[in-house]
Amino acid sequence: MLIASFRYAGRANRLGRFSTCHHHEASRASLTTPAFEASRLLQTPVSADNVPFRKQLKDEARQRKHVARGTASNESASDDAKLAAWELTVGLEIHAQLNTKRKLFSGASTSASEQPNNHVAFFDFALPGAQPQFQKATVLPAIRAALALGCQIQTRSQFDRKHYFYADQPAGYQITQYYQPFATGGKIILNDFDGIAADDGKSVVIGIQQVQLEQDTAKTVLQPPYEAMLDFNRVSHPLIEIITLPQIHQAQTAAACVKKIQALLQAVNAVTAGMELGGLRVDVNVSVRRRNQNALGQRTEIKNLSSIKAVEDAIVAERNRQISVLESGGTVPGETRGWTLGASDTVKLRGKEGEVDYRYMPDPDLGPLLISNELVTKIAEALPQFPDQIAEELVECHGLTIKDAKTLVELNGGIRLDYFDVVRSELAALHSQIEGNPVINATDEKERGVIIANWVLHEMGGLLSTSESAFSADRVPAKELAFIILMLSLGRITGRTAKQLLAKKFHGDTREVETIIRDENLGLVHLSEEEYVSMAREILDGHPAIVAQIKDKGQIGKLGFFVGQMMRKGEGKVVAQRAEATLKKLLGLTQ
């Protein structure tokens, strides 16, 4: 294992770039700057009552929301008037780790979770005499990503050196593509159902200036109060940097853009992971200008945002800061700023470097990158469906709402969508095996798709949320969920029983659903019409005030209360539709 030790002597305000993780065998660096001592104040204090960390975070978030609600009503009117006079402009720089076996410029394997400093070549450490060796296979996922973004692939591009000294960049420069990137001129179309701001209307088009290949830096692990450790496994991991044009004018739309680009990259198998696992990082360039002003305002850059929420919140905070500075007569300097999730303000990290500061130059050790049109065509023909195409198919062929379709496509990196497809196939197979193949309530493919989506997204989602656990297709086998849906469709169990069966399987009951129904006598025993009427009358007589509200004031929505009462009283023997019909008849609501 290669180990590098050094003492950090750079500028104190560069410490804002440092990120955290939990490796413990990375290279050690002594940090003696005052900023490191100050950074200790940012650490979450240990609770005296030993409150679990997850609960502590939730309590703090709840308290912040409570404080925010208390002031929001007083500030909203003045804030709206202030924002109406200014226009926000945002450009994004999205850094995505490519899904490759080898690093960009060395034969070392890529590693995200193995022991620190176990996958490091001489070039990764910038040892004297070590030369970059471009790994041709790394360009393939980069091309897939660029095509998904509608970019034109350049047949000739080149690598450049971007010079700066920092602890995680041992060579003193990063190899990137500044002058001649391999892909240019794409676009991303955002629709209202993608979550863009209402002010952007039904859709907005964001131009992609370029997509460039570059190498990643080492992972820096803070060890407060004075030390940091470096894991060089990440050095030279292939990255693409996606640079949008400054055409975004709403923070919510910027977040939606990042989310959609992430989904596209995952759909074409271009990236290792999403933002939640560190596979995507975003820098945002933010400026504001008066509505009647032509030139863009001075931009600032917020570095290393690692979640969709952080993108939106950081832009809002920086927008508000810049407006306050300008309205008070000040000027906004060009600078690099940082953001901590949950904070109300961005913080200055350092002055903004420009092209001259980085001293860009063509890398003399690397020749041009040549990509043939034949290769691009072959890759384009093999691309899978894009998320929007899949969502459109779910809406048109399976009856889902666009909201449910988008959710199904984006959840769990597509795993939930695969589960939906398997459940649908299993349900069709089970139905075909029934003697005489009787017609069930959901024979129509669209109606069946809506029912399955409800169980896969909402019923299963509720259990996942309650248990705070991640989705796994093995937790409730697709065939078992299909059987639950089939029994419900055939009227052999009630909706309440179906939910109980799902919960039993979710929480680890290893019996087959059919066995559980038999063992626990959960099959529906149909009540007679007289029993429905008797039960409904008893419940209605017990709530005369609500009956009056329905009859005299037309508050039909409160009928659901009585349906719920009958479902509870019937203990799994009452069908909701029959209960509602009986209640309407007794209340004189049927024609």
Side-chain angles (χ1 to χ4, degrees), residues 3 6 69 104 135 197 223 225-226 286 318 335 347 368 480 489 518 534 573:
I3 300 292
F6 62 91
R69 279 196 297 268
L104 189 58
Q135 305 297 305
Q223 297 289 306
Y226 303 115
V286 180
E318 180 59 14
E335 58 192 10
V347 294
E480 296 291 274
S489 300
R518 184 178 63 251
S534 175
K573 298 178 181 179

Side-chain angles (χ1 to χ4, degrees), residues 559-569:
L559 190 66
F561 167 77
F562 289 124
V563 174
Q565 291 292 311
M566 289 187 67
M567 297 289 289
R568 279 187 285 274
K569 189 175 181 62

